[in-house]
């Protein structure tokens, strides 16, 4: 996920957010279906979606790419704020 241009930073942020949203929503949907004992709930789907979310948030390469982008001087202030939040989030799942 290396970036060389300012547009790569925006693409990285957008891709991260889209992937996070999809994985988190899948987990939440499965969590509530199981918790509320809704028709079609499946503990295996709940476990699988939870593990997928944890794997995504525990990806050391994504953390490294985020940190590389934070070292750059050509990114906008709002992008820096988002990257800092991504870094904080990932650090909650990665033991260094």
């Amino acid at each position: 996920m290396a970036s060389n241009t300012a547009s790569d930073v925006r693409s990285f942020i957008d891709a991260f957010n889209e992937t996070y949203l999809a994985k988190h929503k899948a987990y939440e949907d499965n969590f509530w279906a199981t918790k509320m004992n809704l028709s079609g709930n499946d503990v295996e789907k709940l476990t699988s979606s939870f593990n997928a979310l944890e794997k995504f948030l525990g990806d050391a390469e994504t953390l490294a790419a985020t940190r590389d982008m934070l070292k750059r001087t050509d990114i906008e202030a709002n992008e820096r704020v988002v990257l800092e939040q991504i870094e904080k989030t990932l650090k909650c799942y990665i033991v260094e």
Side-chain angles (χ1 to χ4, degrees):
M1 285 191 179
S3 298
N4 295 322
T5 67
S7 67
D8 288 341
V9 172
R10 176 79 323 210
S11 294
F12 174 86
I13 290 170
D14 290 345
F16 180 91
N17 286 336
E18 289 172 19
T19 303
Y20 174 79
L21 177 62
K23 291 186 182 300
H24 185 79
K25 184 175 183 329
Y27 168 68
E28 284 290 325
D29 289 349
N30 286 309
F31 174 84
W32 287 110
T34 303
K35 183 82 169 170
M36 302 302 290
N37 198 26
L38 300 176
S39 175
N41 79 69
D42 184 343
V43 174
E44 287 183 30
K45 286 182 183 177
L46 173 62
T47 301
S48 175
S49 60
F50 175 79
N51 289 338
L53 178 60
E54 292 279 308
K55 182 178 179 182
F56 172 71
L57 293 172
D59 184 27
E61 289 181 16
T62 303
L63 179 58
T66 302
R67 288 177 169 163
D68 286 344
M69 287 181 230
L70 283 168
K71 293 176 186 174
R72 294 174 43 173
T73 59
D74 65 336
I75 61 176
E76 295 184 24
N78 62 331
E79 292 172 332
R80 183 167 301 282
V81 169
V82 174
L83 289 170
E84 288 169 349
Q85 293 307 310
I86 291 172
E87 180 186 33
K88 285 179 186 179
T89 300
L90 296 175
K91 285 171 54 178
C92 292
Y93 293 85
I94 298 170
V95 177
E96 296 183 290

